[in-house]
Amino acid sequence: MFFKSKEGKEKIITLYNQKLSELNIKHSEKLVETKFGVTNVIATGDIKNPPLVLIHGTGGCAPQILDSFPNLASKYCVYAVDVLAQPNKSAENRLDMKSLDYGKWLIEVIIKLRLKNITLVGFSFGGFISLKALEFNETPIKQVFLIAPVYIVNGNPLIGVFKMFLPLKKFIKTNNQKYMKKVMHVLFSEYDDFALTFMSTTFQNCNMDFSPLPIISKQSANKIKTPINIMAAEKDIMFPGKKMIKRAKDIFPSLEEFVLLEGSKHVPCLKDFKEIKELILDKSE
């Protein structure tokens, strides 16, 4: 199971609901039955607006990614999806990253929600899921925005081990916040108390997946026809920005726009998220 205990899950859901309440937005929550597991979706915005599907990253949840992208609902009807086997309200089933299962799952959610011609926005692992969806079935997807996505390049594994995974393992073992703060410093351009609390609670109460992350093949990337926009983070040690843009140019014939977020770590700062949001809003027509 993803959650280590019932008590641990309750702690996560309490924080989840706290963040959702703090957003102070008019929204609805819906449970979507899929063959991969029940999926929770938060919807906000006018259903007459074009649909936008928002996918968060590892260790995250739908309210957090909504918090990073305020006001998208001014031009879109936004559907923020809780990814399976993450600290949120969806099922605890972890899918095989080497297969197309994450893509099949997302497309099933999109079909069950009866959405067409969608704008897909994926951050980090959400970018991986977005690309898997494009590999499986591009039909319902109009355009894609990938922010520091998994699945295009990987960074130096030794740097990742020493700067992030060793402090993370020490934190899980000792629950000493100094180790968690080291991890946060490596991952986040900036972070608040809620992000620190949520990440700490997640890594203490959830069984996280530390298996190696796959990379999309050039052959698969070449087949994608949907317009792709990539925002790569220059100082991202896991998925280095310059390396990502270089490979993206080489493998994606449908690459429409790319931005190097200068000085940004894996999780961009509020200013960068705002610029990305404006770009997404500009392409709402």
Side-chain angles (χ1 to χ4, degrees), residues 10-212:
E10 286 171 356
K11 287 179 184 177
I12 293 287
I13 299 304
T14 297
L15 288 169
Y16 181 110
N17 289 331
Q18 176 191 326
K19 175 54 70 178
L20 183 54
S21 176
E22 286 173 3
L23 295 178
N24 198 24
I25 56 170
K26 188 177 179 182
H27 68 277
S28 62
E29 281 188 80
K30 181 176 183 176
L31 290 175
V32 180
E33 297 275 352
T34 79
K35 68 179 181 181
F36 300 99
V38 176
T39 303
N40 188 61
V41 181
I42 299 172
T44 180
D46 190 335
I47 59 168
K48 293 175 185 173
N49 285 340
L52 181 146
V53 175
L54 199 51
I55 315 289
H56 65 79
T58 300
C61 60
Q64 280 183 305
I65 194 73
L66 282 167
D67 193 28
S68 296
F69 287 109
N71 304 323
L72 280 178
S74 64
K75 290 190 177 180
Y76 292 97
C77 186
V78 179
Y79 300 84
V81 180
D82 276 334
V83 174
L84 298 172
Q86 294 295 335
N88 57 43
K89 297 181 181 179
S90 286
E92 299 180 47
N93 309 331
R94 183 173 280 131
L95 307 184
D96 179 9
M97 287 193 291
K98 292 178 183 175
S99 73
L100 288 177
D101 281 358
Y102 274 105
K104 291 176 180 178
W105 160 72
L106 181 57
I107 294 297
E108 187 177 350
V109 170
I110 289 166
I111 290 169
K112 291 277 177 72
L113 290 171
R114 298 182 176 180
L115 303 179
K116 295 176 181 176
N117 214 27
I118 68 163
T119 292
L120 186 55
V121 180
F123 166 65
S124 189
F125 192 66
F128 165 84
I129 294 168
S130 300
L131 286 168
K132 286 285 186 178
L134 290 177
E135 283 184 273
F136 174 61
N137 180 9
E138 298 180 75
T139 308
I141 304 168
K142 175 188 174 184
Q143 59 182 345
V144 178
F145 293 86
L146 308 173
I147 301 108
V150 175
Y151 201 39
I152 297 175
V153 295
N154 283 333
N156 185 319
L158 285 176
I159 294 174
V161 165
F162 284 107
K163 288 200 169 184
M164 201 174 69
F165 291 108
L166 287 180
L168 194 50
K169 293 286 188 183
K170 285 179 181 176
F171 170 71
I172 293 169
K173 189 176 180 180
T174 67
N175 202 21
N176 188 324
Q177 281 281 9
K178 77 174 184 181
Y179 295 118
M180 194 66 224
K181 285 179 179 177
K182 283 185 178 180
V183 175
M184 299 293 282
H185 180 70
V186 169
L187 281 178
F188 286 70
S189 300
E190 60 188 22
Y191 64 88
D192 58 14
D193 289 342
F194 182 87
L196 177 61
T197 301
F198 194 84
M199 289 285 280
S200 299
T201 307
T202 294
F203 282 103
Q204 282 299 336
N205 294 282
C206 304
N207 293 305
M208 303 302 289
D209 185 2
F210 294 112
S211 55

